[in-house]
Amino acid sequence: MAKVNKRLAVLVGCNYPNTQYELHGCINDVVAMKDLLVKRFGFDPTNIELLTDASAVTGEGSSSVVLPTGENIKAALSKMVSQAEAGDVLYFHYSGHGTRIPKPAHIFGHDEAIVPCDFNLITDVDFRQLVNQLPKGASFTILSDSCHSGGLIDKEKEQIGPSTYRAASSLSYKAKNIPFESILEHLTTLTGINTSDIGTHLLESFGANASLKFLTPQLESELFDFLKADEGILLSGCQADETSADMNPMESGGKAYGAFSNAVQTVLKENSGRLSNKEVVMMARKVLEAQGFDQHPCLYCSDENADATFLCQPEAKPY
């Protein structure tokens, strides 16, 4: 009997309820994506792990009980990658806040990170390590609907990148960004340590579950010693220097959503045939521009994967 390739997914929605950073559409984003994965892309619901920070009802009517802490998200991703074999399709969808971590004073630039519900940051170095662990022939697609998500797989090749175009947006939305200074202030209240070094706070708060970037700083250079084309594919909701929008139209009876997640889902619903990763990002850009959003999704992957079919869609099916 021919081997059946697995399709595995981890979906994370962080709304940060009852905090000053509260968002509204992130859980809706991943619940909607789960439905698409099953109906459109042939994922078995039992192979989709959903992590949210509220008792959001899933498609089967059960509630999520696994909180999207840094430890839980990394455990779910590590488990998924460890199960992967050649030909398998892996997918991670994140909707929530992102942030930028300043590099040391002698190095120019920032590092990108996502912000789990407990503020235990997951950085571009963590995603790079996951991609490096993929077996040859497996693919790993990451869709991050968060601020500063461009470059979230460290050193991944840019295919669709920064745009100089800037729309004058009159939309009312909340940016999916927690400034670095706010994260530092929050962690300082937890540790009581008087230092601006975020790594010290993260290690004190989360120990061995902190990002590899802070646990083993030397690993960052080691990860890139033999960097080559890989099977990591990043669809980011915006450029590294931009914010992504969280819409809350509930006052008018609508449903809250993340602008990028919604744009991708709109593209997929309007195009039942196979689309390449590049086509999905370019079409999502057009949807966002037409809706008046000032954010520019990007694509980071190898040349080959830029033209590969999004999530290896087996065949065209009407949604």
Side-chain angles (χ1 to χ4, degrees):
M1 180 181 292
K3 174 182 173 291
V4 178
N5 293 328
K6 299 187 294 296
R7 290 174 170 265
L8 309 171
V10 174
L11 312 178
V12 174
C14 291
N15 275 344
Y16 316 90
N18 305 315
T19 72
Q20 62 179 314
Y21 308 111
E22 185 168 9
L23 299 172
H24 299 279
C26 301
I27 294 172
N28 290 339
D29 290 341
V30 293
V31 170
M33 195 65 198
K34 179 179 180 181
D35 193 50
L36 258 178
L37 292 178
V38 173
K39 292 181 179 178
R40 170 79 171 260
F41 295 99
F43 282 70
D44 185 325
T46 61
N47 287 333
I48 301 174
E49 185 164 1
L50 183 68
L51 292 80
T52 73
D53 56 1
S55 55
V57 178
T58 66
E60 283 82 36
S62 60
S63 295
S64 170
V65 293
V66 182
L67 284 173
T69 63
E71 179 180 359
N72 288 342
I73 295 171
K74 287 189 288 188
L77 291 173
S78 295
K79 177 183 176 184
M80 179 170 69
V81 170
S82 70
Q83 293 176 333
E85 301 172 283
D88 289 351
V89 177
L90 280 59
Y91 180 64
F92 173 53
H93 190 122
Y94 172 76
S95 184
H97 281 302
T99 195
R100 301 180 86 190
I101 306 167
K103 288 182 181 289
H106 63 285
I107 303 176
F108 176 77
H110 296 78
D111 289 311
E112 292 74 39
I114 61 173
V115 186
C117 67
D118 62 348
F119 281 56
N120 184 8
L121 303 182
I122 302 177
T123 70
D124 48 2
V125 175
D126 298 304
F127 288 109
R128 165 50 60 193
Q129 193 206 35
L130 287 165
V131 168
N132 285 4
Q133 292 173 347
L134 281 177
K136 186 175 178 61
S139 69
F140 185 12
T141 300
I142 297 172
L143 190 154
S144 189
D145 189 354
S146 57
C147 291
H148 313 303
S149 46
L152 199 55
I153 304 177
D154 206 3
K155 304 297 188 292
E156 194 65 58
K157 184 174 182 180
E158 177 186 295
Q159 298 289 344
I160 301 173
S163 167
T164 56
Y165 171 77
R166 284 290 185 274
S169 177
S170 60
L171 295 171
S172 176
Y173 63 85
K174 186 167 185 177
K176 301 169 87 166
N177 166 58
I178 301 179
F180 172 78
E181 293 76 16
S182 298
I183 289 175
L184 189 60
E185 180 181 345
H186 174 79
L187 292 172
T188 300
T189 63
L190 295 180
T191 65
I193 300 174
N194 184 21
T195 177
S196 60
D197 177 43
I198 195 166
T200 298
H201 294 294
L202 289 167
L203 291 170
E204 175 69 20
S205 298
F206 305 108
N209 291 313
S211 170
L212 289 169
K213 179 175 181 61
F214 308 109
L215 271 177
T216 50
Q218 75 279 4
L219 180 66
E220 186 165 1
S221 59
E222 293 172 4
L223 283 172
F224 311 128
D225 282 348
F226 305 102
L227 206 55
K228 58 186 184 302
D230 55 59
E231 297 305 317
I233 303 165
L234 171 65
L235 289 77
S236 67
C238 61
Q239 298 165 189
D241 62 345
E242 289 183 329
T243 59
S244 291
D246 179 68
M247 296 299 293
N248 181 23
M250 297 180 72
E251 292 84 358
S252 59
K255 197 171 188 179
Y257 60 86
F260 181 51
S261 294
N262 182 69
V264 169
Q265 289 159 14
T266 297
V267 167
L268 294 174
K269 289 175 182 178
E270 293 179 351
N271 299 271
S272 61
R274 294 185 178 99
L275 296 173
S276 69
N277 291 305
K278 185 180 293 185
E279 287 172 325
V280 170
V281 172
M282 291 306 297
M283 289 179 178
R285 276 192 170 206
K286 290 179 180 179
V287 169
L288 289 167
E289 181 180 345
Q291 293 174 341
F293 289 102
D294 183 17
Q295 64 185 81
H296 303 87
C298 300
L299 175 66
Y300 298 82
C301 62
S302 66
D303 295 339
E304 182 179 354
N305 280 331
D307 295 316
T309 303
F310 178 67
L311 291 183
C312 303
Q313 183 178 336
E315 60 183 75
K317 292 181 180 180
Y319 176 70

